Amino acid sequence: MIPFNKPSITEKEIACVTDAMKNSRLSGDGAYTKKVYEQMKERFGIDRMLLTTSGTASLEMAFLLIGLKPGDEVIAPSFTFSSTINAFMLRGARPVFCDVRPDTMNIDEKKIEELITDKTKAICTVDYAGVACEYDVIEDIAKRHNLYLIEDAAQGVGSTYHGKPLGTFGQLGCYSFHETKNYIMGEGGALVVNDPSYMDLAEIIREKGTNRSQLLKGMVDKYTWHEVGGSYLPADILAAVLYAQMTRFDEIMEKRMAVWNTYQEQLADLEQGGYLRRLTVPEGCGINAHMYNIVLPSDEIRTNLSDRLMEKGIYAYICYVPLHSAPMGRKAGYKPEDCPLTEEYGNRIIRLPLHAEMTAEDAATVVDEIGNILKA
């Protein structure tokens, strides 16, 4: 059996969790949380980051921070997980779905500007599969139209755009450290505060709307309620898991890249034969091997391939049902034809197993089975 995902847990993670339970606080913002921040600064140059209970929580915080109000509009892709859109719909904002580029399935930067109205408050990008959006263009659009830019980099930890880490574009970036991501803490995420003017308010929102973080820093002698906030602070035990993962950053990246490269190299013949299309990575985008997907000629072929692989113990799945045509999207008044490329490619993509416990040989087995099934 080749599972779709399998967390890479070693004695190091176990030792860090044990140490956190014995020597650190069980609640949030303990010693291991601080160690994670130190690692993120050292590796990615991130000066201001707050761990959260999930990637979803970091997105919710981001839209609270920019003061989103009912009636505001946010331009975002439909080819994403529901958390991206839920985060601002919870504030009463309306999603304006932008179609995607067929090569990366990222938001099509050439179609954003035509969607801007006097109600547009923000652009929310999604770095699908850990491949960067075209931020040179998108940041320019946001600046010219005085819009916020929120980066959903849930899948992007370790990826870059022209050498700059994903999560560091726009005012705020959002990471996920869910069990299915490259580097994990079980359930968890982080808010990257790229604009320092948001940091004080971010700490207050994260701590139920109170200034408790200022008390812990010795800045005040008591804390109280200052803003509307939430409980977005993860336990330090979870941070201990992430700390151990980050110390293994290069090891995990190397193992995932071995699988990714095997797919990319050995699926080339099937692409040339017209059986599928491989993943596309534009020039200037450094990848983290978070995901490998292929595009099939039709939904029927995709479904058959998924079913046949499952029979052989290989777990491969579709990525997303496009949100504009999902039940909630239809309830909100959207139609499949609103984003035709998203609809077309969303129905033809399949995501192959990829995790640090796989080997290049496992990936070669997957490729062989895909070839046998498609050619039959």
Side-chain angles (χ1 to χ4, degrees):
M1 188 181 75
I2 300 177
F4 179 71
N5 180 68
K6 184 178 181 182
S8 179
I9 300 297
T10 67
E11 290 300 320
K12 188 154 197 172
E13 284 80 4
I14 295 169
C16 287
V17 169
T18 302
D19 181 63
M21 294 180 70
K22 290 180 177 179
N23 301 311
S24 185
R25 69 178 67 181
L26 298 184
S27 59
D29 279 344
Y32 279 97
T33 299
K34 294 179 176 62
K35 288 182 178 182
V36 169
Y37 295 161
E38 290 168 0
Q39 288 180 325
M40 298 300 283
K41 180 177 176 59
E42 180 180 345
R43 185 171 289 275
F44 302 121
I46 294 173
D47 290 315
R48 295 168 299 277
M49 189 180 95
L50 295 172
L51 287 186
T52 60
T53 49
S54 65
T56 302
S58 65
L59 284 161
E60 291 179 8
M61 282 185 64
F63 288 107
L64 271 167
L65 278 164
I66 66 171
L68 208 62
K69 297 180 177 61
D72 288 341
E73 293 179 348
V74 177
I75 297 171
S78 167
F79 196 66
T80 182
F81 192 58
S82 57
S83 293
T84 308
I85 311 303
N86 282 337
F88 57 81
M89 287 188 73
L90 283 169
R91 310 266 68 79
R94 174 180 175 269
V96 176
F97 290 120
C98 183
D99 216 345
V100 295
R101 294 169 44 143
D103 57 348
T104 62
M105 295 300 290
N106 281 334
I107 192 169
D108 189 337
E109 67 280 1
K110 296 176 183 176
K111 296 180 179 179
I112 292 174
E113 213 150 6
E114 65 192 46
L115 300 174
I116 296 173
T117 71
D118 58 359
K119 295 181 180 179
T120 307
K121 187 73 174 279
I123 301 168
C124 182
T125 58
V126 177
D127 300 314
Y128 174 66
V131 178
C133 301
E134 287 295 332
Y135 283 110
D136 287 346
V137 176
I138 297 171
E139 285 192 315
D140 177 65
I141 293 171
K143 184 176 181 180
R144 284 190 289 105
H145 291 274
N146 196 29
L147 301 176
Y148 293 100
L149 174 58
I150 307 298
E151 183 188 357
D152 182 346
Q155 301 174 4
V157 178
S159 291
T160 58
Y161 178 72
H162 294 292
K164 185 178 179 182
L166 297 194
T168 62
F169 294 89
Q171 287 83 10
L172 301 159
C174 302
Y175 289 148
S176 173
F177 298 112
H178 185 270
E179 181 182 331
T180 56
K181 300 302 189 289
N182 294 30
Y183 308 98
I184 67 172
M185 52 193 289
E187 290 277 359
L191 180 71
V192 182
V193 184
N194 300 314
D195 183 336
S197 67
Y198 288 101
M199 191 62 184
D200 289 344
L201 181 56
E203 289 182 328
I204 288 172
I205 287 174
R206 179 171 172 257
E207 276 277 22
K208 301 89 175 172
T210 74
N211 62 332
R212 181 173 177 269
S213 62
Q214 294 177 3
L215 176 70
L216 296 177
K217 295 175 183 177
M219 298 168 62
V220 295
D221 58 4
K222 63 178 182 294
Y223 72 98
T224 187
W225 184 31
H226 282 256
E227 300 283 347
V228 172
S231 185
Y232 297 126
L233 184 65
D236 207 52
I237 295 173
L238 299 180
V241 178
L242 181 57
Y243 169 75
Q245 291 270 294
M246 292 302 294
T247 63
R248 299 175 56 218
F249 184 94
D250 293 328
E251 171 208 339
I252 291 172
M253 177 72 87
E254 183 179 341
K255 289 178 176 179
R256 296 184 72 100
M257 283 303 306
V259 175
W260 195 98
N261 285 329
T262 300
Y263 283 145
Q264 187 73 347
E265 294 164 6
Q266 297 192 16
L267 286 167
D269 288 344
L270 289 173
E271 183 177 56
Q272 291 172 5
Y275 292 101
L276 54 81
R277 197 192 77 188
R278 294 178 299 165
L279 188 65
T280 301
V281 180
E283 186 177 352
C285 295
I287 61 165
N288 61 356
H290 170 64
M291 183 190 301
Y292 198 95
N293 51 45
I294 54 177
V295 181
L296 283 307
S298 69
D299 185 17
E300 292 75 18
I301 292 174
R302 177 183 72 168
T303 300
N304 179 69
L305 177 61
S306 177
D307 291 345
R308 300 290 81 78
L309 287 173
M310 191 78 75
E311 290 172 1
K312 296 179 179 296
I314 297 170
Y315 290 77
Y317 298 104
I318 69 167
C319 287
Y320 309 121
V321 174
L323 297 183
H324 72 280
S325 57
M328 180 61 199
R330 290 173 182 261
K331 191 186 302 182
Y334 301 97
K335 305 179 294 299
E337 54 267 29
D338 290 338
C339 296
L341 280 175
T342 303
E343 194 70 16
E344 177 189 350
Y345 284 89
N347 288 330
R348 292 164 49 197
I349 285 179
I350 191 170
R351 183 175 171 183
L352 304 182
L354 198 167
H355 50 85
E357 296 302 300
M358 278 183 71
T359 63
E361 290 73 22
D362 291 331
T365 298
V366 175
V367 172
D368 288 343
E369 294 296 351
I370 288 173
N372 293 337
I373 294 165
L374 293 180
K375 289 176 182 178

